[in-house]
Amino acid sequence: MGEAIVVTSGKGGVGKTTTSANLGTALALLGKKVCMVDTDIGLRNLDVVMGLENRIIYDICDVAEGRCRLNQALVKDKRFEELYMLPAAQTKDKHAVSPEQIKDIILELKKDFEYIIIDCPAGIEQGFKNAIAGADRAIVVTTPENAAVRDADRIIGLLESASLSAPRLVVNRIRPNMVRSGDMLDIEDILQVLNIELIGIVPDDEHVIKAANMGEPTVMNPDSKASLAYRNIARRILGDTVPLMPMDQKKSVLTRMKKFLGMG
Amino acid sequence: MTTKSLITIKGVKDGLVFLLDDQCEFTDLLRDLRDKLEHTPHFFNGPIVYVDVKLGARSITEEQKSEILDILKMKGNLLIRSLQSDDKVEKQPDYQVHTLTGIVRSGQVLRHQGNLLFLGDVNPGGMIICTGDIYVCGALRGTVHAGAEGDHNAIITASLFSPTQLRIADVISRPPDEWGVTQTQMEVAYVDNGQMQIDKITNLQRIRQDLKMFKGV
């Protein structure tokens, strides 16, 4: 029996889909059998970020309504043998499926996959209720902004009342130099309010945007800081103890020289 | 008359018992008592009767006591034998505080009848609404409403006092910007002359004399 993890945030644009795509890929990279499920019906994105848009034939609504079998709708990733995606429907809306239907689909997927990553839509309405219906655990994504933290707090409250207790937090798009200058909320401030377990911090990285546009998850690029952060989060999901990446990335002239000379 | 009379008169073996309502305003009670005596003259013009006055759960001051007696004395034939309220028998309930723990997160509302000790944080966007006092043992970053049913004597305290908004009865206050994070001691909010005031927790005794104070030896 696999584990279903919902990636949610409340606020839009904080990086739910990016996080889902990268965690799914990172887990596949670590040799796990993974299925990503896009529950953002009407505004599907996960397929675009994964670069699998042109392979979609059936979607989650077709499965829910019995127009196809579940494994007919699964889209196999082009990079990994054991990474699949269940796309959302683009032409319908959130009311096209019910939480019970999603729950059944997730339960079915758990038989075949080790990890199911559920990409949740923004908001707290039907789409959110659908997304969390079949989940065993939750990862809450936030960015270091007051509005995002406020919404994350709201979501944590809703998760707790849906007895998805102990959600874990990803703080996305940290800019270390802005934190240092005091212009950005730091991790400590966020944790003080949200008071949940931190599972990772992801630095703001231009490569993430570039990679998403190319339909290639950032984790595939081992040189990107964000990539390393996502790989670490994936390892923490598996239960490994991985220390947080040092945020201070300002390298001294000496280490840069060393690296240049191949000594670092 | 829309409501039931505030005064009930019962005849007993050796006189009359006046049962006075204990929920209404005292002034209404006096008015009704006066009405009753004036509008039933035949009843009170006979021989001398003994009267027992029972005030129910109402406790009255000496002044109020003499006001009642003055009205009854208007009728010469009434001899007041006793004037009792049973509040002395029924001890006033002790100040009770309900204790809860957790986090009130954004969008959540914690409602409580009475006084509340909350061991945990109130996050921005979260709210506690209480008919009595609110004590937050934790960070107060959201909104709290004490004395929600109009009790101006209600107070709010918090270990970390950084609320979005404070409300006591119908008084609403936004914390001034200078509150910031410099606060080092626990604070209490209360209403004085219709204005929200903030003070050190150690001055609570001056604000609320009804709370029992610890006095060392």
Side-chain angles (χ1 to χ4, degrees), chain B residues 9-27:
Chain B
I9 301 169
K10 280 185 179 168
V12 288
K13 206 164 50 186
D14 58 348
L16 293 172
V17 177
F18 281 53
L19 299 170
L20 309 192
D21 186 274
D22 56 7
Q23 299 301 319
C24 66
E25 287 289 313
F26 187 70
T27 47

Side-chain angles (χ1 to χ4, degrees), chain A residues 189-204:
Chain A
D189 297 339
I190 298 169
L191 285 179
Q192 234 168 44
V193 171
L194 298 182
N195 201 26
I196 61 171
E197 187 194 336
L198 182 69
I199 195 175
I201 49 180
V202 182
D204 199 25

